[in-house]
Structures are given as structure tokens and as C-alpha cells.
Amino acid sequence: MWSAQDVARDRVRRQANGLDVAAVAERVAEAAVRERETAEQLRGNGSFYAFEMDRERLAVIWLAQHAEWQRVRDLMTATGWSVYEPEQDAQGSVWAREREERLAGAPAAQAASGARGRKEAEGADELRAEVRLSAASGRLVQTVAGRTGLRPSEVLAQLAERIVVGEDGTVSVPPFTPSW
């Protein structure tokens, strides 16, 4: 999965191609507005449409896009380019190559990870997982971990050990106090 910076850099690189400094400046202003709006919506001062992505990720992407549009504008101004050409942007080209390399290597890394997972599952009766939590959920887990002296992974493991699946398929965790 691409980071917010990867998404922003790729979008800006494609969208800026052939734009002059004035058009890029307009995109900087638009990105600033979008960054502010998504930050306000994230704080609960606005509404998101149901089909939009995770609020936090969208806010971070607009923050990154704003920064990238500014970088392109500053580069064009400093170098005197009349239009943006991605191939001339040395830093942007390095980032694009890095994204392509990561993308090309992803299937091999995923296959290796799957093979390791199958091997571990055959040899042990445990599950190793990488979990991505929303910022709000992550803060809660870290708060609990900080209060109990546990690592966040230990808090999640204790939560998982207490999962109860109801007859109707609902999943819950009865109240408990995490401990060593």
C-alpha cells in the first residue's frame, strides 16, 4: 500500500505535467483549501460522503498533496521552467522510480510472507499478524498499553484471547483489565 506521500507525489507528478507556474500556483491554493477542509472534517466540523475513504487518510493525503504542489511550484520558480515536465524533476523522478521498484517487488514480498505464514502455521499453533488500526483505535490501544506497562501488541493479544463469538455471529470482548 502506498503511503500518503506516495499517492500525493504520483498524483501531482501526473497532474502537473505541462502546467505553467500560474496553473501550478492555482493547484497549490486548491490543495491548501482541501487540506483545511479535510482537517476540519476530521475534527468533526463537516461531513464526509459515505463512499469516501478513511477520514484520517484523506486528510493526510491532502496535507501531502499541498506540500508536493508547493515543492513543484518552488522548483519551477527556482529553475525558471515555463512548464512542469516530470522528467526534468530530479527528486520527483527518484521518488517515482522508488515507487515503481516497491510496486514491482510487492508480489514477491507478499509470496514470501505467505510462505512464511504457512510454514509457521504448520509448525506452531499461533497466529502472527500485522494489524493496521485507525488513528483513534491506535491511540486507545497505546493509552491502555501505557497505563498497564504492556506493549500494544500484548494488549491486542489479551483482547484477542477474550473474544466471544455469539450464536448470531456477533463478536464481543467482555470487560477486563489487561495485566502482565
Side-chain angles (χ1 to χ4, degrees):
M1 182 174 181
W2 280 3
S3 70
Q5 289 76 19
D6 286 334
V7 171
R9 290 170 180 162
D10 182 62
R11 264 190 209 152
V12 170
R13 186 172 173 82
R14 285 183 287 109
Q15 293 175 358
N17 189 18
L19 295 182
D20 62 16
V21 177
V24 170
E26 289 175 15
R27 298 292 179 105
V28 170
E30 177 187 345
V33 169
R34 299 281 187 202
E35 178 186 355
R36 187 182 73 250
E37 288 174 350
T38 56
E40 288 172 2
Q41 290 168 341
L42 186 58
R43 289 189 298 270
N45 298 334
S47 63
F48 275 80
Y49 297 103
F51 62 86
E52 288 191 80
M53 68 178 72
D54 174 50
R55 290 177 178 212
E56 293 154 358
R57 180 152 171 84
L58 186 60
V60 172
I61 287 172
W62 274 111
L63 174 72
Q65 273 192 245
H66 183 208
E68 184 62 8
W69 278 113
Q70 288 174 319
R71 186 192 71 80
V72 168
R73 180 202 57 207
D74 295 346
L75 175 66
M76 290 179 70
T77 303
T79 58
W81 294 347
S82 58
V83 295
Y84 179 77
E85 294 180 32
E87 300 78 29
Q88 290 182 334
D89 181 353
Q91 183 61 61
S93 295
V94 167
W95 288 331
R97 272 192 306 280
E98 289 173 354
R99 281 191 305 277
E100 290 170 10
E101 289 169 4
R102 282 195 311 273
L103 185 61
Q110 188 173 16
S113 174
R116 276 193 309 274
R118 284 189 299 279
K119 192 174 185 180
E120 288 174 0
E122 292 168 0
D125 192 22
E126 71 176 34
L127 171 68
R128 290 183 167 274
E130 180 177 324
V131 180
R132 294 190 186 270
L133 301 173
S134 69
S137 297
R139 282 191 295 272
L140 286 172
V141 169
Q142 289 199 350
T143 299
V144 170
R147 289 181 181 167
T148 59
L150 298 169
R151 293 188 319 255
S153 60
E154 294 170 325
V155 172
L156 291 173
Q158 289 187 24
L159 275 167
E161 289 170 356
R162 291 167 172 79
I163 289 176
V164 176
V165 180
E167 290 179 11
D168 59 353
T170 58
V171 177
S172 63
V173 176
F176 75 100
T177 302
S179 61
W180 289 83

